Amino acid sequence: MVLKQQLQSLGLQVEVAASGSEALALWRASPFDLLITDCHMPEMDGYELTRAIRDIERLETRVPMPILAWTANVLHEEQQRCVAAGMDAVLTKPTDLLELREKLLYWLKRDSAMLVAQQLAGQDIVAAAINMQILSKVAKRAVTKVAMLREFEVHNRNDVANLLAALQAGNAAAVERSAKRIKAASAMVGAMELVALCDKIEAAVLQGDMGEARRVADTQLSATVQSLAACIAKFVDE
C-alpha cells in the first residue's frame, strides 16, 4: 500500500497484483513500462515471475521491460540472485522516496520519466536537485547564490543542447567535452544528480558504447534537467 501511494504521488498509474502468477497474467494482457516485484510471494515468487517474463520476451522478441526487485534483504547474495533471475535493479524496504525517484528516472521510458519530474516540481523533494551545502561553499550570500544559479541555468541549457547534438552525430570526442563541461559547472553549484548522469554518459562513450550513452540521455537527461530547472526556479523565486 505504501509503495503504491509513493508511486501515485509521483504521478504514475499503478496496478497491484497479489502474486507472481497474477502479475504475469496482468503483464500478458496489457503493456507496462516497468515492474516492481517482491522477491517472496505465494504461488510464483519474484524470481520465477522475472524468469517467466524474460523467457516470453525472448520467445516473442519483445523489448525487455525494466524489472526492479523489492526486498528487505540487503545482502550481496540476494542482489546477485536478483540479477541472475533477470532483474535490472534492487529497491530496499522500506523504500525512500528519493531512492525510488532516482530508480524511476533511470529505468522508465522518456515520457513517463518526464511525468515523474514534472510531478515533483512543486514538492520539497525537488530541492534534492541542488546540494545547498556545496553551493554554500562557493557562495555565502543568498543574492550571490541566485546570481550563480541563474548564470548556470543559461550556460547549462547550451551545454546540454551541445551534448545532445554530439550524441546524435555520434561524435565521441564532442560528447566527452560537453559532458566534462556540464559536470564541472554542475559540481560547482551542487547539481550532483546531473554530475552522476554525465558520468554514466561519459563512461559509456569511453567503453565505445554510443548506443548506451544515447539511451541514458534519452531516458534520463530531459527529466533531470527539467527537475533541476524547477529547483533553481523555486530557489530564485524565494
Side-chain angles (χ1 to χ4, degrees):
M1 181 182 68
V2 172
L3 183 58
K4 179 181 179 181
Q5 289 175 346
Q6 286 179 317
L7 291 166
Q8 288 176 332
S9 76
L10 297 176
L12 300 176
Q13 295 182 348
V14 185
E15 290 279 352
V16 178
S19 67
S21 55
E22 184 180 332
L24 183 61
L26 281 172
W27 175 76
R28 297 221 65 166
S30 59
F32 287 85
D33 288 337
L34 179 140
L35 168 68
I36 300 176
T37 178
D38 202 327
C39 291
H40 305 286
M41 297 180 292
E43 300 177 25
M44 174 186 282
D45 64 24
Y47 310 109
E48 294 173 292
L49 170 62
T50 301
R51 285 192 289 266
I53 289 175
R54 295 306 187 217
D55 286 343
I56 295 169
E57 287 172 338
R58 283 190 292 269
L59 183 64
E60 300 180 357
T61 61
R62 297 190 185 196
V63 176
M65 174 182 61
I67 300 178
L68 309 184
W70 192 49
T71 177
N73 189 343
V74 296
L75 294 177
H76 181 62
E77 292 79 4
E78 176 77 356
Q79 297 192 24
Q80 286 184 314
R81 188 179 177 190
C82 291
V83 172
M87 299 178 192
D88 296 291
V90 178
L91 285 167
T92 55
K93 299 179 185 179
T95 303
D96 179 86
L97 195 57
L98 275 173
E99 180 192 3
L100 181 60
R101 170 184 181 268
E102 289 175 2
K103 286 290 194 297
L104 292 173
L105 288 176
Y106 186 87
W107 289 108
L108 279 174
K109 294 178 181 176
R110 183 172 181 271
D111 290 346
S112 298
M114 289 185 69
L115 178 63
V116 171
Q118 291 166 355
Q119 191 70 19
L120 290 170
Q123 301 179 25
D124 291 340
I125 192 173
V126 78
I130 293 287
N131 186 321
M132 291 300 171
Q133 289 183 333
I134 294 176
L135 180 60
S136 294
K137 291 179 180 179
V138 295
K140 300 297 182 184
R141 300 172 58 206
V143 65
T144 308
K145 292 175 183 174
V146 168
M148 283 191 66
L149 289 174
R150 282 177 172 161
E151 188 74 10
F152 167 79
E153 178 70 5
V154 171
H155 291 289
N156 191 58
R157 281 199 298 269
N158 292 331
D159 290 338
V160 169
N162 290 336
L163 175 61
L164 291 173
L167 285 167
Q168 184 66 29
N171 188 332
V175 171
E176 289 183 53
R177 284 197 301 272
S178 295
K180 281 181 167 61
R181 279 180 57 85
I182 294 171
K183 287 196 300 180
S186 299
M188 184 173 292
V189 300
M192 304 314 295
E193 187 174 348
L194 190 53
V195 171
L197 182 55
C198 285
D199 272 335
K200 291 179 184 177
I201 293 172
E202 190 176 4
V205 171
L206 288 173
Q207 292 169 7
D209 194 346
M210 187 64 71
E212 172 63 12
R214 291 193 188 103
R215 189 196 70 78
V216 172
D218 288 344
T219 57
Q220 300 174 69
L221 189 58
S222 294
T224 301
V225 170
Q226 188 170 357
S227 177
L228 180 58
C231 177
I232 291 174
K234 183 174 182 290
F235 181 81
V236 168
D237 290 342
E238 290 176 350

